[in-house]
Amino acid sequence: MHHGQYDNGGDLLVAHLKSLGIDTVFGIVSVHNLPLVEAVDRELRFVPVRHEATAVSAADGYGRARGSIGCALTSTGTGAGNAAGSLIEAESSGTAVLHVTGQIESSYLGNGRGFIHETKDQLGMLKAVSAYAATVTSPHDAGRLLREASAAALSAPGGPASVEWPIDLQYAAQHDEGDPAPATTAPAPDPAALAAARELLASVRRPLIWAGGGATAAREELLALLEATGAGLLTSNSGRGSVPEDHPLVIGNFATTPACRALLADADVLLTIGTHFRSNETADYTLKLPDAHIQIDVDEAALGRVYPARHALHGDAATVLPALTGSAVRADADWPARVTAVREDVRATLHDNIGPQAAVCDALAAALPRGAVVARDVTIPSSSWGNRLLPIHDPRANVFPRGGGIGQGLGMGIGAALARPEQPTVVIAGDGGLAVHLGELLTVAQERPRLTVIVFNDGGYGVLRNMQDKYSERRSGVDLFTPDFAPLAAACALPYARIASEADAAPVLQAALDSDGPTLVEVDLDALGPMKNPFTPPVTIPTA
């Protein structure tokens, strides 16, 4: 909490950001946010990205990598609109982003005059894509609204919080009373439901646990339950790293594989923690779960929404899990061994199926420091092995667009790299996804983070190309012109390297990760060679 007089809104914003521990802010300067940008640039680090969507993506990646919150500054109208897609991602993933956007002068707001940068109902747009949105209406309420917004972003289930700030009120002297944001009360499960879940766990012998994003804040509690029971641990993509993935009981993000389906069929209980059972992780909801299902979620609406829950526990995982561990018993003697065998089987099968790309995966796993961030854009390497086989040992290292939007990975990687400058960060992107925000290579060149950008070049949208090759008679919109990445990197003053064979992977990636600055690494997929089986996403395609 902070209070007092400030010369303008920028000084107030800086004081608030310092109270949150934020030292780096991402954005684009404008006539409608100039006081904010100038103050941030003077007192903190301001990173001038090339597109507002990247400002939010970078703030998102920064917050995820630090396990806290990031901040993005955008202009009003088109600038705020450009940020909307990345706000949707933060909303989908429940990650904390403070988005402060400009607004036209308060005396003209809502008049529809066509004032420069004006848009119709900007606040309504922000409410549609944010967990919280508000307008500063006075130099006396900006501090309170910034605290409310940050508290909303950081409170489960979380998400982005947007504050629009008219430019005349940014320039005005600010008076902040320092009133704290309203406190939130953590939900507690119904005692009868909790007692019934405890009784069930005391009677089963073949337990499985499924950790979603809601488990990442209960790492010690989850590990204690896992080791007390000998249960197998499945994860959603969002739950990866809740328990380090080299633990022998961690199967990981493999629930829809044949081996895991068989394990689910034989399990006598499934405990799920903070997962929303996304369609791509349940084979469009065709995955069968055990009837004995205990579900923990801080979001009451999620309980029983996708799969029936015999015992629905509305609460925070860090609080609920210890209550369950106290009643749990050890699994049958052969169950942990079977879990570990399934773990090894699904990894070996995937490793074999990805063919020569396994060399890239292995080289990254060997060269990356434990817990280093791997920001994965939506591309075949990410969807096939980056989201499963490449080991994640810390949820803060697990940065990817949970909403499935292409092109956000580079911005997330920039934010993560600047959040954790002491170790290397990696971006995995396809040539199509990289092209969405290709201008951000200039941001990389300007800021010089310790960031290795790996672009897998197959000349287009490989996922959609594989789908069309499998299900239709022609290709539409999937084959793209791809730049020559070597001179492109040179034009951006970025070091460049190329992987064209399996033997190239280890030395090229080790050298890039050892560097104290950025490197653009191209994986030439035509030269490297194809996977054994072309990857297609787990979506339903009606066919004759």
Side-chain angles (χ1 to χ4, degrees), residues 2-202:
H2 48 82
H3 58 86
Q5 301 285 344
Y6 299 89
D7 288 343
N8 60 39
D11 293 337
L12 171 62
L13 176 63
V14 166
H16 178 66
L17 296 178
K18 287 181 176 179
S19 75
L20 294 171
I22 292 175
D23 58 13
T24 304
V25 177
F26 307 88
I28 293 181
V29 66
S30 161
V31 296
H32 283 122
N33 67 12
L34 196 57
L36 308 181
V37 170
E38 288 178 342
V40 167
D41 189 51
R42 183 176 63 248
E43 300 292 335
L44 305 171
R45 180 177 187 174
F46 179 72
V47 178
V49 297
R50 271 51 177 184
H51 194 279
E52 291 87 355
T54 300
V56 175
S57 291
D60 186 336
Y62 174 96
R64 293 193 206 192
R66 289 168 63 122
S68 58
I69 186 171
C71 180
L73 300 182
T74 67
S75 182
T76 186
T78 304
N82 284 346
S86 294
L87 290 170
I88 290 172
E89 162 56 29
E91 172 75 357
S92 174
S93 62
T95 52
V97 173
L98 176 61
H99 170 227
V100 183
T101 188
Q103 184 52 282
I104 66 172
E105 294 180 26
S106 57
S107 60
Y108 299 122
L109 189 58
N111 291 342
R113 294 187 179 195
F115 199 93
I116 185 172
H117 293 180
E118 181 181 11
T119 189
K120 178 184 177 182
D121 192 16
Q122 177 171 289
L123 182 61
M125 176 190 72
L126 294 173
K127 285 181 176 178
V129 295
S130 304
Y132 171 101
T135 305
V136 175
T137 60
S138 159
H140 296 274
D141 68 4
R144 174 180 59 83
L145 293 178
L146 289 172
R147 286 189 292 279
E148 285 185 4
S150 302
L154 288 164
S155 299
S162 295
V163 175
E164 60 170 10
W165 203 335
I167 184 61
D168 57 313
L169 301 181
Q170 294 178 39
Y171 278 113
Q174 309 288 312
H175 178 74
D176 182 19
E177 295 289 349
D179 297 330
T184 58
T185 302
D190 176 74
L194 181 59
R198 287 165 55 93
E199 183 178 355
L200 174 60
L201 283 178

Side-chain angles (χ1 to χ4, degrees), residues 175-394:
H175 178 74
D176 182 19
E177 295 289 349
D179 297 330
T184 58
T185 302
D190 176 74
L194 181 59
R198 287 165 55 93
E199 183 178 355
L200 174 60
L201 283 178
S203 67
V204 296
R205 295 296 183 272
R206 298 184 305 280
L208 288 177
I209 303 171
W210 183 320
T216 59
R219 299 170 63 190
E220 293 182 5
E221 295 83 358
L222 175 58
L223 179 61
L225 177 62
L226 192 71
E227 296 192 334
T229 59
L233 182 65
L234 299 166
T235 71
S236 68
N237 205 0
S238 299
R240 297 187 64 200
S242 298
V243 173
E245 289 189 337
D246 53 0
H247 192 289
L249 295 176
V250 176
I251 300 168
N253 184 25
F254 288 90
T256 58
T257 62
C260 286
R261 286 176 184 264
L263 201 65
L264 282 163
D266 289 343
D268 53 11
V269 69
L270 176 66
L271 170 65
T272 64
I273 308 163
T275 183
H276 291 178
F277 302 108
R278 296 179 187 273
S279 59
N280 59 321
E281 295 173 338
T282 58
D284 278 354
Y285 314 116
T286 61
L287 183 68
K288 183 174 175 53
L289 302 188
D291 292 333
H293 175 203
I294 303 169
Q295 185 177 8
I296 302 171
D297 209 293
V298 74
D299 181 1
E300 189 171 16
L303 295 168
R305 180 168 55 197
V306 179
Y307 286 95
R310 181 179 296 180
H311 305 297
L313 305 180
H314 181 211
D316 174 74
T319 302
V320 176
L321 286 175
L324 297 178
T325 303
S327 297
V329 296
R330 188 73 182 171
D332 285 342
D334 61 347
W335 185 249
R338 182 177 171 189
V339 165
T340 299
V342 168
R343 162 195 163 80
E344 300 304 325
D345 173 66
V346 294
R347 281 168 169 73
T349 299
L350 179 54
H351 191 275
D352 181 62
N353 284 342
I354 62 177
Q357 289 192 32
V360 180
C361 179
D362 293 346
L364 280 173
L368 279 168
R370 189 176 182 87
V373 172
V374 181
R376 307 181 302 283
D377 199 54
V378 178
T379 185
I380 285 178
S382 296
S383 298
S384 59
W385 54 264
N387 292 345
R388 294 177 176 81
L389 191 60
L390 187 66
I392 298 291
H393 304 308
D394 183 333

Side-chain angles (χ1 to χ4, degrees), residues 45 410 413-414 417-418 423-427 440-454 489 492-497 511-521:
R45 180 177 187 174
L410 178 57
I414 292 170
L418 294 177
Q423 60 182 203
T425 295
V426 170
V427 168
E440 300 306 340
L441 289 179
L442 301 176
T443 304
V444 174
Q446 178 170 300
E447 300 298 322
R448 315 303 295 181
R450 194 175 174 188
L451 179 66
T452 299
V453 180
I454 307 174
C492 296
L494 293 174
Y496 167 84
L513 292 171
D514 285 345
S515 168
D516 62 0
T519 305
L520 179 64
V521 174

